[in-house]
Amino acid sequence: MKYISTRGGIEPISFQDAVMMGLARDGGLLLPETLPSVSKETLNSWRNLPYQYLALEILSLFVDDIPRLDLDELVERSYASFSHPQVTPVRKVGDLYIMELFHGPTLAFKDVALQLLGNLFEYILKRSGSFMNIVGATSGDTGSAAIYGVRGKKGINIFILHPDGRTSPIQALQMTTVVDPNVFNIAVRGTFDDAQAIVKEIFGDLEFKDAYHLGAINSINWARVLAQVVYYVYGYCKLWKTGAESIDFSVPTGNFGDIFAGFVAKQLLPEGCINRLILATNENDILTRFVHEGDYSIAGSVTPTSSPSMDIQIASNFERYLYYLRDKDSAQVKADMEAFAQTGRIDLSDVKGRVAEDFISRSVSEDETIATIADFFKEHDYLLDPHTAVGVKAAQELGDGERPVICLSTAHPAKFGDAVQKAIGRDVDLPPALANLQGKESRCEIMDADVGQIKEYVRTHALT
Ligand SMILES: *Cc1c(COP(=O)(O)O)cnc(C)c1O
């Protein structure tokens, strides 16, 4: 399987090169040349597979430059860090099914992808005798998942900038209590935007970037999407046993990464297995407006909500779906993205009907989110985190009553204790992974938002 760019500007490359490239060199996003599909018979043979075995089968369809035994070992190791034997268990709660994606080391669904990505990086670097220095900024969640993905790995150092005192205390502790020698936490005196701007500037210095083999951790890496395809199929197989032939998924969405994996899974499985993807947004509703009106346009600034990982205006993975909407016409995608950079808008009203075959959407307000957490707890004695609550509310409103809906649960409620406390009037019990953070040894450099100083720090501690 070769990989191409949505903008058509690169020669087809291997899976391993796609993993290392991250963003395509022409500014586009990498995709497999063709999307594989499986027969009913193959799907049948997958029905009862444990998560890791299913992951190996699915990954093998997209990866032809890593020997199967090695891939098997990478997958085993990536999901051994999950605390649940089923990795992403599905629970029936009332009329809905909740797939818990938060049993990884940082208790958020990003672990599913970043545990695998960290192992892939290490494997590829080892074989090429190379190294990389990852530099990234985080407002909270991605940083810790990335750190846990590469802690202790050979050939990789990671530098994560977070805004000092502006993440939740638990989020900061999840990062700074990782004291492996290859992990460098930097608390920047400033905002997330300051930290982000510094990272951008460091990457903008191409000489520096090349000399230190800088790598990124953002959500556009193809391997992250691929890892997420697995649990859609796993969820489908779980429900198949209950007699369901066709199901919907509800997905709390920010950067369109998770739900794009759902789109790939929908193409992979026989027609109709995945009926529709419910695209749930919070008050930052650019993607809901896109589904309803075919209008992909930025409106105003980001509104802070209790589901901060979905507080985005520009969905970094959207371009991947656009490529299929434009019938793989990469020149058109390039023109669309250039227009978007200029005007903040892409008019897709002519393909609105096609979008409706894959997605339905609902924007969920802040009040609805909190009320959903409260009601769900009262009725089912089950606590939702605010991101998951957005997806559950959308499923309650848009589910067709005929087929089951699996709601993806993207974080453990204890990670967003303030919102949960607002909904149910008391604190959430901390699971051991979070409770044990207090009092643990920690390491963090506090620095001014000064690109010169931070670059010097990276230079001093980088692998070379
Ligand atoms: C990142 C994240 C999301 C959004 O996922 P996307 O792939 O950006 O759509 C939802 N919930 C949580 C808890 C997250 O960390």
Side-chain angles (χ1 to χ4, degrees), residues 251-254 279-289 307 310 361-365 369 390-391 394:
V251 188
T253 306
L279 190 162
T281 60
N282 63 25
E283 291 177 5
N284 298 286
D285 65 349
I286 177 170
L287 290 167
T288 299
R289 283 184 286 113
S307 46
M310 291 150 62
S361 186
R362 170 83 149 69
S363 160
V364 175
S365 72
T369 305
V390 168

Side-chain angles (χ1 to χ4, degrees), residues 376-406:
F376 216 72
F377 185 61
K378 204 156 63 188
E379 278 171 38
H380 308 297
D381 200 25
Y382 185 95
L383 261 184
L384 301 167
D385 99 283
H387 303 79
T388 308
V390 168
V392 164
K393 177 67 180 173
Q396 289 169 337
E397 297 290 319
L398 300 181
D400 64 9
E402 284 172 31
R403 14 176 110 62
V405 186
I406 296 183

Side-chain angles (χ1 to χ4, degrees), residues 109-110 141 252-258 309-310 387 410-411:
F109 93 104
K110 292 194 170 65
D141 262 0
T253 306
N255 271 317
F256 208 84
D258 199 3
S309 298
M310 291 150 62
H387 303 79
T410 52

Side-chain angles (χ1 to χ4, degrees), residues 121-123 125-126 130-131 150 152-156 182 463:
F121 278 153
E122 184 182 50
Y123 177 84
L125 290 168
K126 188 173 162 201
S130 190
F131 64 88
V150 303
K153 298 252 181 293
K154 290 189 200 74
I156 306 173
N182 70 329
L463 288 174

Side-chain angles (χ1 to χ4, degrees), residues 102 107-111 140-142 145 171 219 224 228 231 251-261 280 287 307-312 315-317 385-388 408-412 415-416:
F102 54 73
L107 306 186
F109 93 104
K110 292 194 170 65
D111 290 328
D141 262 0
T142 309
Q171 283 176 331
S219 72
R224 284 182 65 172
Q228 296 176 173
Y231 51 68
V251 188
T253 306
N255 271 317
F256 208 84
D258 199 3
I259 201 161
F260 180 75
L287 290 167
S307 46
S309 298
M310 291 150 62
D311 291 349
I312 61 104
S316 56
N317 267 290
D385 99 283
H387 303 79
T388 308
L408 301 192
S409 178
T410 52
H412 190 289
K415 280 200 92 167
F416 298 92

